[in-house]
Amino acid sequence: MASELCKTISVARLEKHKNLFLNYRNLHHFPLELLKDEGLQYLERLYMKRNSITTLPENLAQKLPNLVELYLHSNNIVVVPEAIGSLVKLQCLDLSDNALEIVCPEIGRLRALRHLRLANNQLQFLPPDLGRSRELQYVYVDNNIHLKGLPSYLYNKVIGCSGCGAPIQVAEVKLLSFSSGQLTVFLPAEVKAIGTERDHILPLQELAMRSLHHTCHRLLKDLNFLSPISLPRSLLELLHCPLGHCHRCSEPMFTIVYPKLFPLRETPMAGLHQGRTTVSFVAYCCSTQCLQTFDLLS
């Protein structure tokens, strides 16, 4: 089986194939042959359905830079590496039927992505910026039973969310949660604090991060002049990668969000799902002003 796999990949490399089918190969690891030397620079579509892969390589984008479609349906993937955000040409990503508990924020920054399939995983939240790209049109998260909140950016997309929103004991989850009435949603792990309409002053760290971010991008237009010497590494990484952007004004947010819930059942989309889900749309706002003025339907 191993020799047959190597031969298949070698032929694809030599003949510069654009499509590679590695479904039903009983793979437990991402094939190293795909990552050798320069990788498969011409490959556009990779099919690896129904294997037993648990992780993806950090250098995936470096070795397969021209991937347009990546199909990983029915594996055992738990974590998707941040490096996937470097697949700048990726238009379709299928991670259905895996063991995902977290979707890295970088997936929300894939500007060419049009189709995202995450059904039948173990997700409890989605990145706040997921759906911010206008290119993303189709998102399927069906049967993630503990997923209760969808970023409000997804409101005008084609979404599948049947079977989401089952009850869960908050004590079992080490995540911040936000409640409105009888609704409770879990927030991304990057969120360190939750603001309310009564909080008119931002925490000092959040103010400092936003000011530094504005200075770098509007005046210097470059963050590379900063180093771990001038700023702690953890804050430097956060500055390069905010936890999300305000759904009202697009202001970057670093430690705190002001969430607002819109139950799907109270929106015009309710009829499309016919009671098969109890999820809500979550608007992640940057301040009390944006929180008060954000309207999902406007």
Side-chain angles (χ1 to χ4, degrees):
M1 179 67 75
S3 59
E4 181 184 343
L5 175 66
C6 291
K7 181 179 179 180
T8 299
I9 295 175
S10 295
V11 170
R13 179 181 288 109
L14 290 172
E15 299 182 359
K16 300 180 180 179
H17 288 184
K18 292 187 176 181
N19 303 314
L20 181 58
F21 297 88
L22 300 178
N23 303 321
Y24 299 95
R25 294 283 187 141
N26 195 31
L27 300 175
H28 293 270
H29 306 284
F30 197 90
L32 294 178
E33 286 292 324
L34 286 172
L35 309 175
K36 280 187 176 180
D37 301 323
E38 295 182 357
L40 274 70
Q41 300 288 316
Y42 292 89
L43 194 66
E44 294 182 358
R45 297 170 187 84
L46 177 58
Y47 300 81
M48 301 182 70
K49 299 179 181 180
R50 297 195 178 278
N51 287 288
S52 299
I53 297 170
T54 57
T55 59
L56 296 177
E58 292 287 346
N59 60 347
L60 182 64
Q62 178 185 351
K63 299 298 183 178
L64 306 174
N66 290 302
L67 273 187
V68 175
E69 299 176 8
L70 178 58
Y71 298 94
L72 296 162
H73 183 286
S74 298
N75 279 277
N76 297 318
I77 298 172
V78 178
V79 177
V80 179
E82 297 176 358
I84 201 167
S86 298
L87 289 169
V88 295
K89 297 183 179 181
L90 196 65
Q91 296 180 17
C92 180
L93 177 60
D94 187 354
L95 287 163
S96 303
D97 290 276
N98 277 278
L100 292 174
E101 296 181 3
I102 295 175
V103 175
C104 62
E106 284 70 20
I107 284 183
R109 299 178 185 123
L110 289 168
R111 294 306 178 196
L113 192 65
R114 291 180 54 81
H115 295 77
L116 178 61
R117 297 181 179 273
L118 299 168
N120 298 301
N121 279 285
Q122 301 170 28
L123 299 174
Q124 296 171 7
F125 61 86
L126 295 174
D129 276 355
L130 186 64
R132 190 169 180 236
S133 169
R134 293 182 179 180
E135 293 299 320
L136 185 61
Q137 294 298 318
Y138 305 91
V139 179
Y140 300 95
V141 292
D142 305 83
N143 300 319
N144 283 276
I145 61 173
H146 300 316
L147 179 63
K148 295 188 175 187
L150 304 176
S152 66
Y153 286 127
L154 297 180
Y155 178 69
N156 292 319
K157 316 292 185 180
V158 177
I159 59 172
C161 55
S162 298
C164 295
I168 185 173
Q169 298 297 321
V170 175
E172 297 176 2
V173 184
K174 297 179 180 179
L175 294 171
L176 288 180
S177 61
F178 173 72
S179 299
S180 179
Q182 297 181 340
L183 299 173
T184 299
V185 299
F186 296 109
L187 302 181
E190 294 85 1
V191 176
K192 304 304 179 186
I194 301 173
T196 69
E197 291 186 353
R198 299 185 298 273
D199 301 329
H200 296 288
I201 300 177
L202 287 169
L204 182 59
Q205 182 181 358
E206 182 72 15
L207 277 172
M209 294 298 289
R210 292 187 188 182
S211 297
L212 186 55
H213 187 274
H214 279 273
T215 300
C216 294
H217 282 271
R218 293 186 179 181
L219 299 179
L220 303 174
K221 301 184 183 299
D222 185 16
L223 288 171
N224 293 325
F225 80 98
L226 293 170
S227 70
I229 297 176
S230 58
L231 197 67
R233 183 176 297 277
S234 60
L235 294 183
L236 184 62
E237 293 175 352
L238 185 61
L239 193 62
H240 278 276
C241 186
L243 69 86
H245 293 76
C246 178
H247 292 196
R248 176 70 175 84
C249 71
S250 296
E251 175 82 15
M253 301 174 292
F254 297 91
T255 61
I256 187 172
V257 297
Y258 293 74
K260 190 172 186 177
L261 297 186
F262 298 86
L264 186 148
R265 65 173 180 267
E266 297 177 9
T267 72
M269 291 185 63
L272 298 176
H273 297 276
Q274 300 177 346
R276 295 189 298 270
T277 183
T278 57
V279 301
S280 300
F281 290 101
V282 185
Y284 294 91
C285 299
C286 68
S287 64
T288 56
Q289 181 179 359
C290 286
L291 180 66
Q292 294 166 353
T293 56
F294 182 90
D295 186 356
L296 182 68
L297 305 179
S298 63

